[in-house]
Amino acid sequence: MAFKKPTVPTTVPESPDRLFRDLPRRKLPSLFDHQGQMLRTYVAKALDVPDVALQLPTGSGKTLVGLLLAEWRRRKKQEKVVYLCPTRQLVNQVVEEASSKYGLAVEGFTGKVKHYTPEAKAAYHNADRIAVTTYNSLFNTNPFFADPDIVIVDDAHASENYIASQWTLSISRFVDEDKVLFKAVASVLKGALNTTNYRRLTGKWESIDDATWVDKVPTAQLAKIIDELHAAMAENIGDDSDHRYAWRMIGDHLGACQLYVSSSEVLIRPLIPPTWTHGPFANATQRIFMSATLGGGGDLERLTGRPRIKRLPIPEGWDRQGIGRRFFIFPEKSLKEDEVADLRRALMRKAKRSLVLIPSNDGAEALTKDIKENLKYPVYSGNDLESRKADFVSKSPAVAVVANRYDGIDLPDDDCRLLFIEGLPRAANLQERFLMNRMGANLLFNERVQTRVLQAVGRCTRGLNDYSAVVVTGEDLPAYLTDRKRRSYFHPELQAELEFGIEQSTKVEADALLENFKIFLEHDDEWEEANQGILDARDRADQAEFPAMTQLAAAVTHEIEWQKALWDGDYTRAFDAARDVLGKLDDPGLRGYRALWHYLAGSAADLASADGEKGLEKSARDQFKRAKEASNGITWLISLARGSAEAPTPAERKQSIVMQQVERLEAYLHKLGTLHNRSFAARERKIREGLEDPVCFETAQVVLGEHLGFEAGKKEDDASPDPWWRVGDLVLVFEDHANAGSNATIDATKARQATSHPDWVREHVPGTATANIQSVLVTPATKAKKGAIPHLGRVAFWSLKDFKDWADGALDTVRELRRQFGEPGDLDWRAKAAAALEKAGADAPGLYDRLARQPARDHLKEVA
């Protein structure tokens, strides 16, 4: 046989930008200036830095920069390089671009390891080719890529859920595979949850507030049940379960994890993914993170578990210039719900091919049905796009409807000129929901939420000359994008596009919106004039920096040190690290985040004390007290601050109930939306008109309760009371007499009914068995028969006129609070709301106490 000749080393240029000139198969004549600038900066400032981040806008050639860095290091240092993408579709796209556009030979790895070819595996192991693969191919319990030298993380902003998933157990009540495990875990958690929350967890709830509930099992409670929880999970996670991989990673570290609960899910995960324990990632010579948006508040470090990432500055000029052109349409600013649906179909007809991003599978199914029935167009799902994108872009007409996914989908140029975004959840998981909505740590997520928004609106503008219309509807996203204060934090180009889109969407008919879309699609002289207006607005705009970013960036190394110590079971070191975090956070806007870290410091001290460390029990209580003071409304923080043996004071109990009411009011206002006033005004009108109509009075009373942050209800059963309002363990149950005249007399039957209502509530309203329940008689009557008087000592009296006057004042209070409302989790707004409700006499504890002091027998004149 003929022996192979030894490979002669080739000369490698001194920088990656010069390597590009030596690629004979490349289709591009040269690099853009900003690409060369970034490559030279990397060589000069970050060649030997363990963790480095590059920021380049989408469509500016970021993939080529990453591939050139990878190829240059592979050739120069014979390093094994892994280039990570979020999805298989993007892996295939990068491999295709590398070969057909850049003249680079790379190796794509998707699917199961057993299907990798021997040639492909050898090419990677011998450092003959770059490996392009998904995040999940590196972040798993037994990766083929066990010891890469260089890890390049593309779309780093999207990496968190992929990376954290290796240490995350999400147990769903609605997934068949999880049902037995969910029941076993819920049974263990029963001892750590109060009755109401346990009912919510197990699906025994009635109101929308129960459905959206999220909470956390305190670490102190988790420590008490951890052995039982471990046994239940180990027994019910089988060898064929998808959960077995994450369980291997966290099973021995449950005490270092946080446990979150909701009405549909139990989530167990560490606050920060412990990537330092994963050799293929942690032991690489260098990790290179690439993203269109990196931010400066330490968020990338939190997402990846890397404490010090060197950021290379964005190339000159890109701080003002954007990629492509987006024409924003906000139909809900002018149109009703049915008109918005009609416009959507008309736009789809005009565009022929369009993409819809929608937050839920149920919403996607309903929209798919609508498109098929009304337009007769073929509809593609997210999985379809990943496996057969070429089929979609070759069809006209066609619509892709993608549920709960806002990145990893690229449809440039004529692939798609019309993008619909029907809502965008702020929080991607239970941990984020808890930190935002319960702890009020919104500032922490400003950059992360903004990045998700930017990625969503840019799915169809992937290059400098690309253009797409973006139609924005739903509960959260329109309000987010149209808020003037929030817009100031966007890139100047996006600010200008939004300003133009808002103006064109306000006080217009559907025909005008459709005509403007036609002009935009044609992209001729008429659009050029409009586009110049956008450019002028861009030049006038300045991008503000989110508040407290410097402090958040300074704290992140200590946050990761805390998670490392906790993972190692070194609770004293974790306590010290948590206090180091707190030493960096003093911005008033970080009050909710400080509350979290006081709680985490207290939990670490509590665990250390339980481990025998002297003197830390008092430190734990002090930290819990500070957490309680910084974040009102979390009931278990009160008990932690006082110690399990001490009951909360009356003031603490009142504060807890008021904050529960405020959180419900916050969720109510958020659901009604702030983009326009129609929904809020309709609710207000329904209440005011209903209270004047005896037939509709009770219905209006239910809506009024909800409007004020109460859980409210009414059942039309035999012997059932009129409406009831509830917050925490306080319940007001009404006996209404709205259709009576001022000369009416309360008889014994009516009085006995009112007296029996608390018993009915305890029997029929879940979670009220031990509640404090006050029966309230609302009536214009001023007299009661002698036989009724003995029954009216435990029934509160509220004259109909006083009730209506009070309701008018309470409605005015809520309207003013709505004017000040921005987003859920704003602790300053919550404090103002609590004070305003108390001033209006509409807070649950104050109202309950006032009515309890007004027994009907003292206000009604006894008659024969």
Side-chain angles (χ1 to χ4, degrees):
M1 87 181 251
F3 290 101
K4 297 177 181 178
K5 295 181 180 180
T7 302
V8 178
T10 57
T11 303
V12 181
E14 65 274 19
S15 67
D17 58 317
R18 297 203 173 196
L19 172 64
F20 183 73
R21 305 174 193 172
D22 295 341
L23 300 176
R25 294 190 298 113
R26 59 183 167 84
K27 299 293 172 54
L28 304 178
S30 63
L31 295 172
F32 289 119
D33 288 344
H34 64 271
Q35 292 173 318
Q37 181 184 335
M38 180 61 79
L39 291 168
R40 290 188 293 273
T41 301
Y42 168 82
V43 173
K45 297 183 177 181
L47 187 60
D48 298 316
V49 176
D51 295 279
V52 59
L54 319 178
Q55 181 173 344
L56 281 168
T58 298
S60 63
K62 173 166 52 72
T63 301
L64 176 55
V65 170
L67 288 172
L68 282 175
L69 287 177
E71 183 68 7
W72 182 73
R73 291 202 66 130
R74 184 192 69 78
R75 293 189 185 191
K76 191 171 186 66
K77 301 191 176 189
Q78 291 77 54
E79 291 174 321
K80 290 182 286 187
V81 183
V82 174
Y83 186 110
L84 300 179
C85 302
T87 67
R88 293 185 185 188
Q89 185 243 317
L90 290 178
V91 169
N92 296 333
Q93 181 176 305
V94 168
V95 171
E96 170 63 23
E97 288 183 0
S99 176
S100 63
K101 292 171 64 176
Y102 311 140
L104 287 168
V106 302
E107 201 69 56
F109 292 85
T110 58
K112 296 183 178 180
V113 174
K114 65 182 180 182
H115 296 147
Y116 296 171
T117 66
E119 293 80 8
K121 291 192 282 189
Y124 164 71
H125 280 306
N126 297 334
D128 291 334
R129 290 189 178 186
I130 303 163
V132 182
T133 189
T134 61
Y135 291 141
N136 291 337
S137 295
L138 185 76
F139 288 98
N140 64 69
T141 55
N142 186 30
F144 166 74
F145 306 99
D147 57 350
D149 298 303
I150 304 296
V151 176
I152 297 181
V153 182
D154 199 0
D155 289 333
H157 54 269
S159 65
E160 197 265 350
N161 280 337
Y162 295 99
I163 292 175
S165 65
Q166 187 168 346
W167 295 274
T168 299
L169 261 172
S170 172
I171 309 168
S172 172
R173 188 165 59 85
F174 297 116
V175 174
D176 288 341
E177 180 193 335
D178 289 0
K179 283 185 176 178
V180 173
L181 176 61
F182 185 91
K183 288 180 179 179
V185 170
S187 178
V188 175
L189 294 179
K190 186 175 184 179
L193 300 173
N194 62 38
T195 303
T196 298
N197 287 348
Y198 179 71
R199 291 181 65 87
R200 287 167 164 171
L201 174 65
T202 53
K204 299 178 180 69
W205 42 263
E206 297 180 357
S207 73
I208 188 64
D209 303 288
D210 291 334
T212 57
W213 161 77
V214 61
D215 207 345
K216 180 184 182 303
V217 174
T219 298
Q221 287 290 100
L222 180 60
K224 294 176 182 177
I225 61 171
I226 201 162
D227 291 339
E228 187 181 357
L229 180 64
H230 187 283
M233 296 182 71
E235 180 64 29
N236 288 281
I237 296 177
D239 293 338
D240 58 346
S241 169
D242 289 341
H243 294 312
R244 67 187 186 278
Y245 303 111
W247 177 242
R248 290 174 193 166
M249 305 302 290
I250 69 171
D252 294 332
H253 298 274
L254 286 179
C257 293
Q258 313 300 316
L259 194 155
Y260 306 95
V261 287
S262 75
S263 58
S264 60
E265 179 188 3
V266 173
L267 182 75
I268 308 173
R269 56 161 291 175
L271 186 70
I272 296 170
T275 56
W276 54 88
T277 66
H278 189 54
F281 185 69
N283 298 333
T285 302
Q286 186 178 65
R287 287 150 296 276
I288 301 173
F289 303 96
M290 301 196 306
S291 178
T293 49
L294 289 173
D299 201 44
L300 184 61
E301 287 82 353
R302 292 181 187 89
L303 295 177
T304 61
R306 302 300 302 175
R308 295 173 183 83
I309 300 176
K310 182 179 180 63
R311 287 163 169 77
L312 299 186
I314 190 169
E316 186 178 349
W318 288 99
D319 57 337
R320 301 202 68 81
Q321 182 181 351
I323 294 293
R325 173 62 68 231
R326 288 159 298 208
F327 171 37
F328 284 94
I329 302 173
F330 297 94
E332 291 169 334
K333 288 191 74 66
S334 295
L335 307 181
K336 297 178 181 178
E337 186 176 348
D338 56 339
E339 295 173 324
V340 171
D342 290 340
L343 177 66
R344 182 186 65 229
R345 299 181 196 112
L347 291 170
M348 286 178 173
R349 291 188 188 99
K350 179 63 88 176
K352 302 301 184 186
R353 193 162 46 245
S354 53
L355 168 66
V356 183
L357 304 181
I358 197 163
S360 70
N361 289 323
D362 289 344
E365 289 175 7
L367 183 57
T368 297
K369 181 180 178 183
D370 179 83
I371 293 167
K372 289 182 176 180
E373 289 181 353
N374 290 287
L375 297 178
K376 314 298 183 187
Y377 289 0
V379 179
Y380 293 74
S381 67
N383 290 334
D384 293 333
L385 288 186
E386 187 152 327
S387 60
R388 50 193 186 100
K389 174 187 167 186
D391 188 30
F392 169 69
V393 299
S394 68
K395 289 280 196 309
S396 182
V399 180
V401 179
V402 180
N404 200 26
R405 183 169 153 193
Y406 298 90
D407 55 24
I409 302 167
D410 292 352
L411 292 171
D413 304 320
D414 288 333
D415 283 1
C416 188
R417 298 290 188 193
L418 178 59
L419 168 64
F420 295 87
I421 309 180
E422 304 214 354
L424 177 65
R426 291 195 312 153
N429 53 57
L430 285 192
Q431 176 166 284
E432 291 186 6
R433 276 177 57 194
F434 175 79
L435 295 178
M436 288 185 199
N437 297 344
R438 299 302 310 283
M439 295 300 298
N442 284 334
L443 256 60
L444 175 68
F445 295 99
N446 274 338
E447 287 187 335
R448 197 177 301 185
V449 172
Q450 186 187 80
T451 295
R452 289 172 185 156
V453 171
L454 296 178
Q455 291 303 310
V457 302
R459 290 302 92 202
C460 300
T461 42
R462 314 303 296 172
L464 288 168
N465 298 318
D466 209 349
Y467 58 95
S468 165
V470 183
V471 183
V472 184
T473 56
E475 293 180 8
D476 292 343
L477 191 57
Y480 184 93
L481 291 175
T482 57
D483 183 279
R484 185 177 297 277
K485 181 180 178 182
R486 196 178 279 117
R487 287 207 311 272
S488 66
Y489 300 115
F490 288 140
H491 188 281
E493 189 101 37
L494 180 56
Q495 288 188 47
E497 291 173 331
L498 288 169
E499 182 181 321
F500 179 81
I502 292 166
E503 183 179 0
Q504 303 305 317
S505 301
T506 304
K507 295 180 181 179
V508 295
E509 300 293 330
D511 289 345
L513 294 173
L514 193 59
E515 176 64 20
N516 286 342
F517 177 61
K518 175 178 175 290
I519 293 170
F520 176 73
L521 279 186
E522 292 169 351
H523 237 60
D524 57 14
D525 294 344
E526 197 170 355
W527 169 252
E528 187 60 34
E529 184 178 344
N531 189 63
Q532 186 58 50
I534 296 175
L535 296 176
D536 292 341
R538 178 195 69 187
D539 294 340
R540 294 191 301 269
D542 291 308
Q543 183 173 7
E545 183 181 88
F546 282 120
M549 288 296 102
T550 301
Q551 292 187 17
L552 287 170
V556 72
T557 56
H558 303 297
E559 295 175 27
I560 294 172
E561 177 59 27
W562 164 85
Q563 184 67 77
K564 285 183 176 179
L566 203 63
W567 199 258
D568 294 339
D570 189 340
Y571 304 125
T572 303
R573 182 161 61 96
F575 176 52
D576 290 338
R579 289 189 296 172
D580 288 337
V581 173
L582 288 163
K584 302 295 183 182
L585 308 175
D586 60 15
D587 188 286
L590 292 174
R591 199 173 100 204
Y593 199 46
R594 278 202 313 277
L596 171 71
W597 279 99
H598 280 302
Y599 156 71
L600 294 174
S603 297
D606 198 45
L607 291 170
S609 178
D611 247 10
E613 195 71 30
K614 302 294 185 184
L616 287 182
E617 185 175 358
K618 181 179 183 301
S619 297
R621 295 291 160 265
D622 289 343
Q623 293 291 339
F624 289 143
K625 285 178 183 176
R626 290 174 180 245
K628 176 184 74 73
E629 291 164 1
S631 182
N632 298 325
I634 298 181
T635 308
W636 47 260
L637 274 179
I638 296 175
S639 61
L640 286 175
R642 297 191 61 81
S644 57
E646 298 183 50
T649 65
E652 288 172 336
R653 179 174 167 273
K654 175 183 177 182
Q655 180 190 57
S656 175
I657 293 173
V658 171
M659 292 313 298
Q660 288 179 58
Q661 182 179 358
V662 168
E663 285 189 28
R664 293 179 68 90
L665 174 59
E666 177 184 83
Y668 173 84
L669 294 177
H670 181 61
K671 185 171 179 59
L672 287 179
T674 56
L675 182 67
H676 54 71
N677 294 323
R678 292 193 298 272
S679 298
F680 182 84
R683 278 287 177 127
E684 206 176 52
R685 179 183 176 186
K686 182 176 183 178
I687 295 167
R688 292 188 190 277
E689 291 183 350
L691 293 181
E692 297 300 327
D693 181 353
V695 176
C696 302
F697 185 89
E698 292 175 8
T699 300
Q701 198 175 40
V702 171
V703 180
L704 174 62
E706 295 170 344
H707 204 74
L708 295 174
F710 290 85
E711 178 186 353
K714 170 78 174 81
K715 288 189 176 181
E716 298 296 342
D717 293 340
D718 184 38
S720 67
D722 293 326
W724 48 265
W725 296 354
R726 175 192 179 196
V727 178
D729 65 349
L730 297 183
V731 182
L732 299 174
V733 56
F734 295 96
E735 178 62 37
D736 293 328
H737 207 199
N739 59 351
S742 59
N743 292 324
T745 302
I746 303 299
D747 60 23
T749 300
K750 194 78 167 173
R752 281 195 298 268
Q753 284 178 345
T755 305
S756 68
H757 289 342
D759 294 333
W760 186 96
V761 169
R762 288 191 174 91
E763 182 71 24
H764 294 89
V765 179
T768 60
T770 60
N772 297 296
I773 305 174
Q774 178 63 58
S775 185
V776 183
L777 177 64
V778 179
T779 179
T782 58
K783 298 173 290 187
K785 290 191 174 183
K786 183 177 180 179
I789 293 296
H791 301 287
L792 294 175
R794 290 177 290 140
V795 178
F797 175 80
W798 204 345
S799 79
L800 181 61
K801 180 182 183 304
D802 287 348
F803 177 81
K804 291 179 180 179
D805 290 344
W806 172 87
D808 284 338
L811 288 170
D812 291 343
T813 296
V814 173
R815 175 170 279 277
E816 181 58 33
L817 287 173
R818 181 178 179 269
R819 289 193 187 102
Q820 303 168 15
F821 178 70
E823 62 182 356
D826 184 336
L827 296 184
D828 287 337
W829 182 87
R830 287 180 180 177
K832 292 175 183 176
L837 289 173
E838 289 176 9
K839 184 177 179 180
D843 64 299
L847 182 59
Y848 185 97
D849 290 346
R850 178 168 70 86
L851 291 171
R853 294 193 299 269
Q854 297 176 186
R857 71 181 178 191
D858 295 346
H859 289 76
L860 294 172
K861 181 180 179 181
E862 180 181 329
V863 295

